């Protein structure tokens, strides 16, 4: 008989940038915690974040969805990267102190924050969903250094039609990094209606890939 899932909890965490909020989807016997930040244009309701929060606790991975202080305060525009890092770091440090092993990550801007700050917070790995390799149409403005310089084992999950950089645009990655290239999906991992893969199927692929990688890591 399968045990009922533990209840979702919410907690405000003070940071120098204001209060951040953790929405924790706990595993019954967690082997790891995956903390995920949102992008600059949306929140924790993003389809990939929601799918991971729904699917990973059953596999022994608690998922902490983290809302940046600017979202908690109801603001519409994300602040500068340095302020995003300031709003994230105390949350990651709290989760590290609570145990078990923490993997940090997020989608888009949240992935960049995790790459920049993960090693310093005591996390053991990074999950970068829809990493914004460059602004749309401006491949010369590469952000690859943030990804390559994460200093931790890093998983990148990238959709084929992401205007911020498709899988083929990424540089050669070090042995510590892994790229999961999805044949379909844009920056929000939205699947075209005529694709042979459905939306739910793509999300299941993401949940499986992330779950497998995190459990191998820890």
């Amino acid at each position: 008989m399968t045990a009922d899932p533990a209840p979702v909890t919410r907690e405000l965490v003070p940071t120098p940038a204001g209060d951040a909020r953790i929405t924790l989807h706990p595993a019954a016997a967690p082997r790891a915690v995956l903390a995920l930040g949102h992008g600059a244009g949306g929140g924790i309701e993003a389809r990939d974040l929601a799918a991971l929060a729904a699917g990973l606790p059953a596999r022994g991975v608690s998922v902490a969805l983290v809302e940046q202080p600017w979202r908690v305060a109801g603001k519409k525009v994300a602040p500068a990267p340095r302020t995003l890092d300031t709003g994230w770091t105390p949350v990651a440090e709290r989760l590290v102190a609570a145990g078990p092993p923490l993997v940090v990550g997020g989608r888009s801007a949240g992935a960049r924050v995790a790459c920049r700050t993960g090693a310093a917070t005591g996390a053991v790995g990074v999950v970068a969903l829809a990493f914004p390799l460059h602004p749309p149409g401006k491949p010369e403005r590469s952000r690859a250094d943030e990804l390559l310089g994460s200093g931790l084992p890093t998983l990148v999950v990238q959709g084929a039609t992401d205007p911020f950089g498709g899988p083929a645009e990424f540089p050669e990655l070090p042995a510590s990094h892994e790229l999961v290239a999805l044949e379909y999906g844009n920056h929000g991992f939205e699947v075209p209606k005529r694709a042979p893969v459905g939306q739910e199927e793509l999300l299941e692929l993401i949940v499986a890939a992330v779950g497998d990688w995190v459990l191998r890591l820890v």
Side-chain angles (χ1 to χ4, degrees):
M1 184 175 179
T2 303
D4 292 334
V8 174
T9 62
R10 292 174 178 83
E11 176 187 5
L12 290 176
V13 179
T15 84
D19 286 346
R21 181 162 49 221
I22 300 172
T23 300
L24 180 66
H25 298 254
R31 294 175 55 190
V33 176
L34 175 61
L36 295 170
H38 52 79
I44 60 172
E45 69 280 358
R47 58 171 60 86
D48 50 336
L49 302 184
L52 290 164
L56 289 186
R59 299 191 61 186
V61 179
S62 296
V63 177
L65 300 180
V66 181
E67 292 172 88
Q68 280 273 354
W70 67 274
R71 287 282 297 189
V72 175
K75 297 178 180 178
K76 303 296 185 183
V77 180
R82 182 177 297 180
T83 304
L84 293 177
D85 294 355
T86 299
W88 171 268
T89 298
V91 176
E93 291 174 341
R94 174 172 291 205
L95 292 170
V96 166
L102 177 69
V103 177
V104 291
R107 64 166 290 100
S108 194
R112 295 181 64 193
V113 172
C115 286
R116 291 193 299 259
T117 64
T121 63
V124 299
V126 174
V127 172
L129 305 163
F131 185 85
L133 187 63
H134 57 71
K138 298 180 179 179
E140 71 280 1
R141 293 176 56 186
S142 175
R143 298 162 179 149
D145 286 350
E146 290 181 352
L147 181 67
L148 299 174
S150 69
L152 292 170
T154 300
L155 175 70
V156 184
V157 182
Q158 208 74 7
T161 60
D162 192 329
F164 289 82
E169 297 181 62
F170 279 73
E172 183 177 354
L173 299 178
S176 58
H177 288 41
E178 182 178 334
L179 173 63
V180 173
L182 303 173
E183 293 185 23
Y184 301 95
N186 58 16
H187 193 59
F189 296 122
E190 182 180 10
V191 176
K193 291 182 179 179
R194 295 185 179 181
V197 175
Q199 185 66 67
E200 289 306 312
E201 186 177 353
L202 184 78
L203 292 174
E204 288 171 3
L205 290 173
I206 294 171
V207 172
V210 172
D212 290 349
W213 185 86
V214 170
L215 291 173
R216 287 199 307 269
L217 181 64
V218 300

